[in-house]
Amino acid sequence: MNSSINTQSTARTLEQVIEAPDYFAKVSAVVARLHATTTQAAALESLFDATRLMGVDASVFASFVRDDETHESYRFMLACDPRWCIEYEKIASFADDPWLVYACNHSEPIRGHEIQTYTQRQQEAIKMAENFGFRSSLIIPSPSSGGISRLGVLCVGSNQAGFFDGAAYLAFKLLARSLAMELHEWWVRVVRTELISQADITGEDLALLRLERQGHGTKEIARTLCVSTRAVDSRFYRINAKLGMPSRKAAARVAAEYGLI
Amino acid sequence: MKTQGLHKQAVLDSQTTSLRSDDGAVVFNLARVASGVYVERVQERHGDCHIRQAARFQDEEGFLRWIDSDRLQFAHPLLFSRIKRATHELFHQYAEYGPDAGTSHRSA
């Protein structure tokens, strides 16, 4: 099975890869491109380019949002054989994915073989990834202020066993980490933009949410904004409806998590 | 909460073809990009999980290998047949006129 998007990497070690002229500059230029990227198609193209230039065979950026107690959203950007994700959905529930579980609880990058697996399903998920360009892997969480209710993780892989085990690992890790963080920032920026435009949040709404987040009560907020307490309650009622949140506290938490306040 | 919907409505190119199942639980967004065809597969699963996969294909063979491995095709055969036709058209345009050839923006 051809699971590589990178035709040149198979015979080279990571040390040889990073010694290529302008290696860091070229990858960094692609990473920097994400800053101005507005569409997911363009962001995926950047991930493909970065994967190729980094000299690895596959990469996936996965993001996760716990929308509420009963609903979760996952997004996979696939710079690898995309059949991996179809197979992944078949055999694994996301809670059994050892890479995702690791990313939920840690911020440090880690090589795949350093992650302990405890169940058969976890082992199956790892074995299956090996068939799609992740024989050796590096998992790079990109933590956010949303804690485990919102996270991103970049997984890069090679068809070569032990590809990330050499002396060049530390330098590569820095580069991969910058890519993970930029991808995560891009994703949060997209969600934030949509949040503002679709929920029609105003500057006044943000001021109220900021005060709520600071722990102020209705009377204090009313005094600060020179309005009645009834007006404060009424405004929060509208904000909650706009954001689809059950309470002002929850609305302020979402606004903070997405960087609105 | 609204962020759920926001996560669903990721930013797409303006030149996107959207194809959805009758029940709306499965949506494919297709767009021609400079390096091939961009495909986004969106699935609402059991009402508790929303999964979005974004992939890019440089040739039709790779796309067909992927789409034929998807078990959703058995639940939505008509949708998958429309997806294959639409993607074939995009690859055909790409091969014939290059990435900047006439584009489409429609929903079905």
Side-chain angles (χ1 to χ4, degrees), chain A residues 40 67 71 74 89 242, chain B residues 1-2 40 44 50 53:
Chain A
Q40 182 160 270
D67 298 312
H71 198 281
Y74 298 85
E89 273 189 49
K242 283 179 183 178
Chain B
M1 103 188 204
K2 287 269 176 70
E40 192 176 48
E44 183 70 38
H50 182 82
Q53 299 178 25

Side-chain angles (χ1 to χ4, degrees), chain A residues 38-41 44-45 48 67 70-76 78 82-83 85-86 89-90 94 187 190 194-195 198 241-245 254 258, chain B residues 1-4 6-7 9-13 33 35 38 40-41 43-45 47-57 65-66 69-71:
Chain A
T38 54
T39 69
Q40 182 160 270
L44 179 61
E45 207 57 44
F48 265 105
D67 298 312
T70 59
H71 198 281
E72 295 172 341
S73 299
Y74 298 85
R75 180 198 302 243
F76 297 92
L78 305 165
R83 285 176 298 172
C85 208
I86 299 284
E89 273 189 49
K90 280 183 199 166
F94 299 117
W187 168 55
V190 166
E194 297 289 326
L195 185 62
Q198 290 183 23
K242 283 179 183 178
L243 292 172
M245 301 304 295
V254 164
Y258 286 93
Chain B
M1 103 188 204
K2 287 269 176 70
T3 49
Q4 172 185 322
L6 293 165
H7 201 58
Q9 294 165 20
V11 172
L12 286 168
D13 283 328
V33 292
S35 54
Y38 169 80
E40 192 176 48
R41 174 189 182 274
Q43 183 191 7
E44 183 70 38
R45 205 168 66 173
D48 62 358
C49 185
H50 182 82
I51 306 165
R52 180 182 291 272
Q53 299 178 25
R56 183 264 277 153
F57 299 90
R65 272 198 301 275
W66 175 71
S69 70
D70 194 335
R71 63 181 169 177

Side-chain angles (χ1 to χ4, degrees), chain A residues 114-152:
Chain A
E114 295 173 310
I115 298 178
Q116 280 240 287
T117 53
Y118 298 100
T119 66
Q120 191 181 342
R121 292 185 81 171
Q122 288 182 338
Q123 284 155 11
E124 282 171 6
I126 296 291
K127 201 151 193 62
M128 195 262 295
E130 287 177 3
N131 293 328
F132 289 96
F134 295 93
R135 190 170 176 201
S136 51
S137 57
L138 176 61
I139 316 304
I140 309 113
S142 44
S144 73
S145 59
I148 62 167
S149 67
R150 172 167 59 85
L151 66 88

Side-chain angles (χ1 to χ4, degrees), chain B residues 3 13 19 25 31 60 62 69 83 86 95 105:
Chain B
T3 49
D13 283 328
L19 299 167
E60 193 169 2
S69 70
I83 292 163
H105 179 60

Side-chain angles (χ1 to χ4, degrees), chain A:
Chain A
M1 177 189 309
N2 179 16
S3 57
S4 175
I5 66 162
N6 203 336
T7 52
Q8 296 179 341
S9 69
T10 46
R12 295 188 298 168
T13 65
L14 185 58
E15 284 70 23
Q16 290 168 327
V17 166
I18 72 165
E19 278 170 7
D22 300 329
Y23 175 80
F24 287 93
K26 284 177 180 170
V27 178
S28 298
V30 172
V31 173
R33 212 166 69 198
L34 279 163
H35 191 67
T37 298
T38 54
T39 69
Q40 182 160 270
L44 179 61
E45 207 57 44
S46 294
L47 182 58
F48 265 105
D49 289 345
T51 303
R52 181 175 49 81
L53 289 168
M54 286 194 301
V56 292
D57 292 311
S59 69
V60 172
F61 181 72
S63 54
F64 162 79
V65 174
R66 179 163 291 131
D67 298 312
D68 56 34
E69 297 296 314
T70 59
H71 198 281
E72 295 172 341
S73 299
Y74 298 85
R75 180 198 302 243
F76 297 92
M77 290 171 59
L78 305 165
C80 63
D81 184 336
R83 285 176 298 172
W84 166 77
C85 208
I86 299 284
E87 295 299 319
Y88 174 83
E89 273 189 49
K90 280 183 199 166
I91 70 158
S93 74
F94 299 117
D96 288 318
D97 177 352
W99 294 352
L100 199 56
V101 170
Y102 175 84
C104 282
N105 298 293
H106 302 84
S107 56
E108 266 294 300
I110 190 170
R111 286 166 286 206
H113 64 77
E114 295 173 310
I115 298 178
Q116 280 240 287
T117 53
Y118 298 100
T119 66
Q120 191 181 342
R121 292 185 81 171
Q122 288 182 338
Q123 284 155 11
E124 282 171 6
I126 296 291
K127 201 151 193 62
M128 195 262 295
E130 287 177 3
N131 293 328
F132 289 96
F134 295 93
R135 190 170 176 201
S136 51
S137 57
L138 176 61
I139 316 304
I140 309 113
S142 44
S144 73
S145 59
I148 62 167
S149 67
R150 172 167 59 85
L151 66 88
V153 55
L154 173 67
C155 309
V156 296
S158 168
N159 283 315
Q160 295 180 59
F163 185 74
F164 300 105
D165 290 345
Y169 169 63
L170 285 179
F172 182 84
K173 185 173 77 167
L174 285 175
L175 201 60
R177 209 169 194 180
S178 71
L179 175 60
M181 296 308 289
E182 286 300 318
L183 282 165
H184 189 256
E185 266 193 44
W186 166 80
W187 168 55
V188 170
R189 198 165 58 242
V190 166
V191 175
R192 186 190 304 143
T193 304
E194 297 289 326
L195 185 62
I196 291 172
S197 63
Q198 290 183 23
D200 194 23
I201 295 289
T202 66
E204 278 186 354
D205 295 337
L206 293 178
L208 274 171
L209 289 167
R210 204 170 286 119
L211 289 166
E212 167 62 34
R213 189 69 178 166
Q214 289 164 357
H216 299 300
T218 301
K219 283 182 186 170
E220 211 171 343
I221 293 173
R223 235 187 345 264
T224 306
L225 299 178
C226 302
V227 295
S228 69
T229 55
R230 183 175 286 187
V232 170
D233 288 338
S234 165
R235 284 184 192 178
F236 270 122
Y237 181 79
R238 286 199 297 272
I239 292 170
N240 294 347
K242 283 179 183 178
L243 292 172
M245 301 304 295
S247 67
R248 60 171 74 175
K249 191 174 179 184
R253 177 181 59 78
V254 164
E257 281 186 7
Y258 286 93
L260 297 180
I261 56 174

